[in-house]
């Protein structure tokens, strides 16, 4: 049957496809559309407003059928969510190669992209949506946790205890913010224009409470700040109205950021509109909707700039809202930094970034066993241990059980090989899928996010993610993807995704060794080439060969 219907990945150790290397993408694309996981599964939208797993239901069915029939030495090619060919390759080659939303630079505009989408010729792959390795809100939760922890350490706070964090957006990505704040012991006020999104985050356990009264919400947050207790409060309202209202009341948070879907004009809800009214205007007059959204974004950013002037720590969390405001005439929109140059780049210089894994068995115990193995392997990393303990206690699984943590060069391959041994011994009930976010140390060119303010000025050079995709493919990753757009929208980024399966075989161990070494290694050489001393020292420490490094 081709058309909207509930989708859920198979569980257990019985194969539907001809090998685990094919079974893994077969299960993961379905996992992306699990009702527990996806934002709008009937529309094949996984997260980010319109980040899809497949172009349409007919394409989805064709992908599923192609994987069922795929041989162990064949590779399926997927172009913007549509399966377009199967070629004989070899067993160490990727089983799937994916390209999403890529346009020649002159034509890489939102308008041209939208026309192609309307004509059924393209889709927006976002990041992990179109590369079939989304694991629900947990996927960004850990990165948000790391970002806020780094911020607190830089400011000399140690944690966010006794601090007030203001932000907005409780969608599939932004919904991680409240728990990331409370995991760092802070008090958070998260503004959300769509009550349904807020309810979903509260139901999933990511958000403590929801109120629709400004004074009540502020009182709850300030009380938690004063008592130094973690608390997250979702306020139903519009950030372009609430942020200025806080300024009027002279209430200045300690930290201000935002994760509304500003990368997509048609997904950001303008002030003055309810979620239902926004849906109607989006359909009836997209041009008017777009202009109203841009104007609201500009007011939103203007308020953030004023918070910064009054002493708050303010940063952009990667949704391109500064660019939208700048393009609309707000000349100082970039006066506050993006989160990567502000807090994350030193980690990237060491090849550290998101490492995620999924239990294809569907057994939660498989994840708990791997959690323990990670803690045993890296006992000196107190931040990692704290995260894994809290994640087990607080983070609900969505779809197939999964986990994410940040690991560096040498650590990822150590973990991957150990998982493979556990599958081989039968300690785990079925193979493990290992992937990452596209937001990683060497996989992205995004001048307003991951590569903002590069030391040598190479912010917009996308050779690096292309090389990342190429080296992962030749190294034997199970599937590899290359996308345009991501969380900052069409025209502003290119990025590569990688997924590899630990199926317990010696052949998988060889592939894991290659891919989990070169993938984070790309981050080190990318930053070493840009002149970052920490990356240069890291490369020398690990014996990474860089021909022109002095």
């Amino acid at each position: 049957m081709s058309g909207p219907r509930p989708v859920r990945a198979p569980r257990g150790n019985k194969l539907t496809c001809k090998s685990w290397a094919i079974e893994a993408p077969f299960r993961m694309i379905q996992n992306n559309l699990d009702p527990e996981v996806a934002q709008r599964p009937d529309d094949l939208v996984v997260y980010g407003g319109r980040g899809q797993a497949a172009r349409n239901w007919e394409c989805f069915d064709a992908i599923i059928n192609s994987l069922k029939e795929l041989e162990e030495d064949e590779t399926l090619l997927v172009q913007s969510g549509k399966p377009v060919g199967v070629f004989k390759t070899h067993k160490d080659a990727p089983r799937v190669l994916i390209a999403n939303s890529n346009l020649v630079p002159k034509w890489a505009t939102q308008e041209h992209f939208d026309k192609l989408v309307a004509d059924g010729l393209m889709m927006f792959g976002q990041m992990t949506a179109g590369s079939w390795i989304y694991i629900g809100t947990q996927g960004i939760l850990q990165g948000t946790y790391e970002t806020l922890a780094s911020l607190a350490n830089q400011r000399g706070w140690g944690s966010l205890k006794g601090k007030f964090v203001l932000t907005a957006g409780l969608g599939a990505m932004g919904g991680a913010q409240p728990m990331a704040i409370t995991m760092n012991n802070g008090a958070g006020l998260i503004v959300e224009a769509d009550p349904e999104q807020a309810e979903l985050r509260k139901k999933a356990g990511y958000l403590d409470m929801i109120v629709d009264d400004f004074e009540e919400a502020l009182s709850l947050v300030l009380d938690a700040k004063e008592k130094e207790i973690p608390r997250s409060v979702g306020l139903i309202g519009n950030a372009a109205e609430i942020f200025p209202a806080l300024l009027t009341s002279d209430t200045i948070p300690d930290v201000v950021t935002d994760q509304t879907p500003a990368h997509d004009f048609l997904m950001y809800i303008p002030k003055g509109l309810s979620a239902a009214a926004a849906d109607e205007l989006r359909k009836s007059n997209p041009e008017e909707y777009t202009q109203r959204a841009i104007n609201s974004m500009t007011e939103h950013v203007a308020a953030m700039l004023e918070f910064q002037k009054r002493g708050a720590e303010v940063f952009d969390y990667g949704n391109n809202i500064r660019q939208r405001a700048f393009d609309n005439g707000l000349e100082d929109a970039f006066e506050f930094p993006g989160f990567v140059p502000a807090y994350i780049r030193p980690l990237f210089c060491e090849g550290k970034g998101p490492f995620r894994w999924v239990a294809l068995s569907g057994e939660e115990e498989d994840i708990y066993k791997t959690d323990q193995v990670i803690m045993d392997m890296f006992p000196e990393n107190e931040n990692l241990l704290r995260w894994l303990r809290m994640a087990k206690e607080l983070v609900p699984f969505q779809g197939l059980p999964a986990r994410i943590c940040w690991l560096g060069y040498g650590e990822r391959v150590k973990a991957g090989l150990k998982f493979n041994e556990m599958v081989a011994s039968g300690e785990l009930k079925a193979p493990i899928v290992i992937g990452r976010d596209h937001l990683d140390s060497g996989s992205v060119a995004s001048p307003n996010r991951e590569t903002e303010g590069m030391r040598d000025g190479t912010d917009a050079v996308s050779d690096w993610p292309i090389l990342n995709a190429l080296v992962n493919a030749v190294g034997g990753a199970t599937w590899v993807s290359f996308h345009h757009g991501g969380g900052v929208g069409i025209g502003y980024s290119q990025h590569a995704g990688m997924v590899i399966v630990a199926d317990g075989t010696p052949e998988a161990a060889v592939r894991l060794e290659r891919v989990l070494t070169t993938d984070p290694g790309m981050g080190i050489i990318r930053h070493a080439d840009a002149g970052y001393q920490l990356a240069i020292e890291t490369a020398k420490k690990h014996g990474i060969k860089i021909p022109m490094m002095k």
Side-chain angles (χ1 to χ4, degrees), residues 224-263:
K225 172 183 165 77
E226 181 182 353
K227 293 177 180 176
E228 298 188 339
I229 57 174
R231 177 181 292 165
S232 61
V233 180
L235 172 61
I236 304 305
N238 193 290
E241 297 171 323
I242 300 298
F243 282 32
L246 281 165
L247 288 165
T248 299
S249 71
D250 201 29
T251 304
I252 308 304
D254 300 285
V255 178
V256 179
T257 188
D258 164 59
Q259 261 201 6
T260 54
H263 66 285

Side-chain angles (χ1 to χ4, degrees), residues 34 52 66 83 90 110 140 213 221 223 226 263 274 285 293 300-301 317 320 396 411-412 448:
D34 189 307
Q52 293 179 283
S66 297
H90 55 84
Q110 191 71 50
I140 193 172
D213 180 79
V221 172
D223 176 67
E226 181 182 353
H263 66 285
S274 66
N285 194 335
H300 187 160
V301 174
Y317 201 48
N320 219 27
E411 296 174 335
R412 300 191 204 190
N448 289 350

Side-chain angles (χ1 to χ4, degrees), residues 78-288:
V78 178
Q79 181 263 319
S80 282
K82 176 183 178 180
V84 293
V86 174
F87 285 112
K88 187 177 182 66
T89 52
H90 55 84
K91 287 190 176 183
D92 266 357
R95 298 283 66 86
V96 186
L97 292 172
I98 302 169
N100 284 318
S101 320
N102 296 292
L103 293 165
V104 173
K106 180 177 173 62
W107 287 267
T109 65
Q110 191 71 50
E111 293 76 16
H112 187 65
F113 171 77
D114 287 342
K115 182 180 185 304
L116 290 168
V117 170
D119 292 341
L121 298 171
M122 186 164 268
M123 73 166 204
F124 194 54
Q126 191 66 269
M127 289 183 156
T128 52
S131 58
W132 313 340
I133 188 62
Y134 186 61
I135 59 171
T137 305
Q138 181 187 174
I140 193 172
L141 171 64
Q142 209 266 338
T144 308
Y145 165 81
E146 293 280 356
T147 298
L148 293 175
S150 179
L151 181 160
N153 287 332
Q154 283 192 24
R155 289 294 298 265
W157 299 336
S159 75
L160 295 177
K161 189 175 183 179
K163 305 299 179 185
F164 170 17
V165 181
L166 170 68
T167 185
L170 284 170
M173 301 299 281
Q177 295 180 107
M179 187 178 286
I181 293 166
T182 56
M183 279 181 156
N184 280 288
N185 297 314
L189 177 63
I190 305 93
V191 183
E192 172 55 55
D194 185 347
E196 184 178 340
Q197 292 298 317
E199 289 291 347
L200 286 171
R201 299 319 143 213
K202 185 174 184 294
K203 183 179 179 181
Y206 283 92
L207 177 67
D208 292 336
M209 59 189 74
I210 302 171
V211 298
D212 56 13
D213 180 79
F214 173 76
E215 296 296 338
E216 181 185 1
L218 189 56
S219 175
L220 286 165
V221 172
L222 293 178
D223 176 67
K225 172 183 165 77
E226 181 182 353
K227 293 177 180 176
E228 298 188 339
I229 57 174
R231 177 181 292 165
S232 61
V233 180
L235 172 61
I236 304 305
N238 193 290
E241 297 171 323
I242 300 298
F243 282 32
L246 281 165
L247 288 165
T248 299
S249 71
D250 201 29
T251 304
I252 308 304
D254 300 285
V255 178
V256 179
T257 188
D258 164 59
Q259 261 201 6
T260 54
H263 66 285
D264 191 328
F265 300 124
L266 293 176
M267 291 297 113
Y268 181 99
I269 297 179
K271 74 174 190 178
L273 291 178
S274 66
D279 282 341
E280 291 178 12
L281 183 61
R282 189 182 291 122
K283 295 169 186 174
S284 65
N285 194 335
E287 291 79 14
E288 179 186 344

Side-chain angles (χ1 to χ4, degrees), residues 30-49:
Q30 294 180 83
N31 192 61
N32 267 19
L33 295 170
D34 189 307
E36 292 183 2
V37 176
Q39 189 175 27
R40 298 200 316 274
D42 284 357
D43 299 322
L44 297 163
V45 171
V46 183
Y47 70 93

